[in-house]
Amino acid sequence: MLLLFAVTRPFATTQWPRVPAFVPIETSALFVIDLITAVILFSQCSILRSRALLMIANGYLFAALILIPYLLAFPGLFTPDGALMGGLQSTAWLYILKHCGLAASMTGFALLSHRAPRAAERDGRFPPIFLSIAATAVLVAALGTLCIAGHGLLPIVATDGRRFSANWILYAGVPISVLYGLAVSLLWPQRTTILGLWLWLVASVHLAGVPIAFFGPSSRFSIGWYTVVIINLVANSLVLVVLLVEVSNLYSRLLEAVRAQRAERQARLFTGDAVAAMIAHEVKQPLAAMIMRARTSARTLSAPAPDLAKARDSLDRIAADGLRAAEVIDSIRANFKQGQRPSTVVDINKLIADTVSLMQADLRKRRIRVRTRLETLGLAAPGNPTQLQQVLVNLITNAAEATSVAGAAPPLELRAHAREDGKVLVSVADFGAGVSEQHLERIFDPLYTTKPSGMGMGLSICRSIIEAHGGRIWASPNNPNGAVFQFTLPAATRP
């Protein structure tokens, strides 16, 4: 855009034919763009309750509403001679106020973005959005009335319907360039946010157009005038386009989250149904036998000549059925308890390689890389390979999730080596968000989780498996950021 302005500058004063439809089309398009941008910003403000968003939203609303009197006062647009209302200076001053108001709102946005939210805002007491909208509309009405009804009192900046006076630089160029320059400098630290970055770009484009629009002989319907008007239209469209793209991305992420939550809920329901069906199927029979024998014993004891031996036999059978029901429950728990499956000598290197290969599709989807550092020979431990692989899957999954949340670039690190005390040490390190000190002591407790959607069972199961194998598992902070989960297993001869 700077290159375009530089190329246009030598021909800025060259007059082009006046296109009657250009002004209403361009002004109407700019009105719609600024108004939609304001509506989206107000919507975000109602959710985030940010005074900075409230400021910039009212700035775009001001820029949109002031175009109404601007269009009505434009010379030669609705009537051949003069304007529909106002005088020769009305449109020029409304143009100046439009840019000054938008630049001032950008400056206010930058200043308020640095301020931490007040307690009143966090507690829900926030300036009513509709009140700010009404105040902006009243301000536009007052300024429009002043520029239209009091056009004779305004300083002269336009000599006729096309040309501007020498005062145009003083009254328009200087305040607009100062305000946009201030906005550019204050918005520069805000470029790390999407809205701050694109507002900075819009302010920069308006500032870059100042030399063509104000310095030197200026007139309407010249090459410079058409260039500045079109570039301003494009610049104001940038924020709207970015906001629409971000809204679309938010809807996409929300849909993915809803689908993932629905799939997780279905998986939990399926697992719960399966466990419930297993318990009901296995426990129902001994319970039914206990009920039947209890009723038989009751009838036996209530007979005129109670058969005590038969009643005692029924009670013994009830006790046996109770023990059998307890054994059934224990057998069901054995499906979820660790250390109940056959043990063998596990090649740790092969186990890690197989686990990474198993999870490769999910890691690739998350754009997570894995780096392994393993000893080449003699790294083995006695245990159940399926259960040990379950531990690695849990730890790698947690590390990948932490890395995805933090947006960290370094890969996950999987290490395994034999220690001098006869233990095999395996570690999974990430460079993600890390685990705070207050969570490290309880992170392996059942039903304790730091994730919004977690169940608090994954690390607890990992600890149960490792301890059942005679090992130990713990977590510690990584350097410079992230977390390291490590566990030890008794070493064995390589299979």
Side-chain angles (χ1 to χ4, degrees):
M1 288 184 178
L2 288 173
L3 179 62
L4 177 62
F5 285 128
V7 172
T8 309
R9 186 70 184 90
F11 313 99
T13 58
T14 303
Q15 288 291 318
W16 271 9
R18 176 172 180 169
V19 181
F22 177 79
V23 173
I25 291 176
E26 182 270 338
T27 306
S28 300
L30 192 58
F31 172 80
V32 172
I33 289 170
D34 289 346
L35 188 61
I36 295 176
T37 304
V39 170
I40 296 177
L41 290 172
F42 277 123
S43 300
Q44 293 187 0
C45 177
S46 66
I47 299 172
L48 300 176
R49 309 187 73 79
S50 166
R51 292 179 181 269
L53 281 176
L54 187 64
M55 173 66 72
I56 193 62
N58 279 286
Y60 270 93
L61 179 64
F62 175 86
L65 295 181
I66 206 168
L67 289 174
I68 298 174
Y70 170 86
L71 198 62
L72 295 176
F74 199 90
L77 189 61
F78 295 100
T79 58
D81 300 324
L84 189 63
M85 58 177 61
L88 193 60
Q89 311 304 321
S90 300
T91 301
W93 276 99
L94 287 170
Y95 176 86
I96 296 172
L97 292 173
K98 171 185 177 296
H99 280 281
C100 288
L102 183 59
S105 70
M106 292 180 177
T107 302
F109 171 83
L111 293 174
L112 290 174
S113 296
H114 293 288
R115 186 184 64 82
R118 296 177 181 174
E121 297 176 21
R122 294 193 298 266
D123 295 339
R125 298 187 295 276
F126 190 75
I129 292 178
F130 287 106
L131 184 61
S132 69
I133 293 175
T136 301
V138 170
L139 177 62
V140 170
L143 294 176
T145 302
L146 174 64
C147 292
I148 290 176
H151 63 90
L153 303 176
L154 298 174
I156 297 175
V157 293
T159 55
D160 55 34
R162 281 179 176 263
R163 291 181 293 272
F164 298 99
S165 68
N167 294 331
W168 180 243
I169 300 176
L170 177 62
Y171 290 112
V174 173
I176 290 178
S177 60
V178 169
L179 286 174
Y180 276 126
L182 183 61
V184 167
S185 61
L186 292 177
L187 284 170
W188 178 251
Q190 301 298 318
R191 67 191 185 281
T192 54
T193 64
I194 293 178
L195 183 58
L197 173 64
W198 289 95
L199 286 177
W200 174 85
L201 180 59
V202 171
S204 300
V205 172
H206 286 308
L207 181 62
V210 168
I212 297 180
F214 302 105
F215 293 94
S218 302
S219 61
R220 295 189 179 105
F221 307 107
S222 62
I223 292 179
W225 184 83
Y226 278 113
T227 301
V228 171
V229 168
I230 293 175
I231 292 300
N232 287 344
L233 178 64
V234 173
N236 281 31
S237 304
L238 291 177
V239 174
L240 176 60
V241 171
V242 171
L243 288 174
L244 291 176
V245 170
E246 284 302 304
V247 169
S248 177
N249 291 337
L250 286 175
Y251 272 114
S252 177
R253 290 195 289 268
L254 177 61
L255 180 60
E256 291 178 1
V258 169
R259 287 176 175 173
Q261 186 180 30
R262 187 177 300 170
E264 182 181 0
R265 180 174 178 271
Q266 292 294 333
R268 290 182 180 180
L269 289 176
F270 178 79
T271 303
D273 289 343
V275 174
M278 183 188 305
I279 294 175
H281 180 269
E282 298 296 333
V283 178
K284 186 176 181 180
Q285 183 178 0
L287 287 178
M290 292 168 65
I291 294 172
M292 181 187 67
R293 289 190 172 92
R295 289 175 176 173
T296 302
S297 299
R299 287 196 299 268
T300 301
L301 293 174
S302 60
D307 190 343
L308 298 180
K310 185 177 180 180
R312 186 181 298 107
D313 181 65
S314 296
L315 293 174
D316 291 338
R317 290 179 178 273
I318 291 174
D321 288 333
L323 293 175
R324 186 157 68 91
E327 292 175 356
V328 169
I329 295 175
D330 289 339
S331 67
I332 295 174
R333 290 182 61 196
N335 292 326
F336 303 96
K337 289 180 65 177
Q338 312 307 323
Q340 299 296 323
R341 297 181 182 180
S343 177
T344 184
V345 177
V346 181
D347 186 334
I348 299 299
N349 289 346
K350 184 176 184 302
L351 179 69
I352 293 176
D354 291 345
T355 305
V356 172
S357 177
L358 176 68
M359 301 183 63
Q360 195 61 48
D362 184 65
L363 292 172
R364 190 181 298 111
K365 182 179 179 182
R366 296 174 181 269
R367 298 181 180 178
I368 302 295
R369 295 175 294 121
V370 176
R371 181 168 57 207
T372 57
R373 296 182 180 179
L374 312 174
E375 288 188 1
T376 55
L377 296 174
L379 204 60
N384 184 282
T386 302
Q387 292 179 346
L388 293 178
Q389 187 175 70
Q390 183 180 355
V391 172
L392 285 174
V393 168
N394 268 314
L395 296 182
I396 294 174
T397 300
N398 289 345
E401 291 177 353
T403 304
S404 299
V405 170
L412 308 181
E413 288 189 357
L414 269 69
R415 299 185 180 186
H417 67 274
R419 299 198 314 188
E420 296 180 356
D421 59 355
K423 300 282 187 179
V424 174
L425 176 65
V426 180
S427 65
V428 179
D430 67 78
F431 297 86
V435 182
S436 61
E437 292 290 337
Q438 61 181 354
H439 297 309
L440 283 177
E441 297 181 357
R442 300 187 56 194
I443 199 170
F444 293 97
D445 293 346
L447 301 179
Y448 184 82
T449 179
T450 59
K451 302 178 185 177
S453 59
M455 297 181 63
M457 293 300 297
L459 292 177
S460 175
I461 292 174
C462 291
R463 183 174 66 176
S464 299
I465 294 175
I466 295 302
E467 290 178 353
H469 283 74
R472 186 173 71 91
I473 186 171
W474 69 94
S476 59
N478 199 4
N479 187 23
N481 57 282
V484 182
F485 285 82
Q486 303 177 80
F487 63 88
T488 58
L489 295 170
T493 57
R494 192 172 183 273

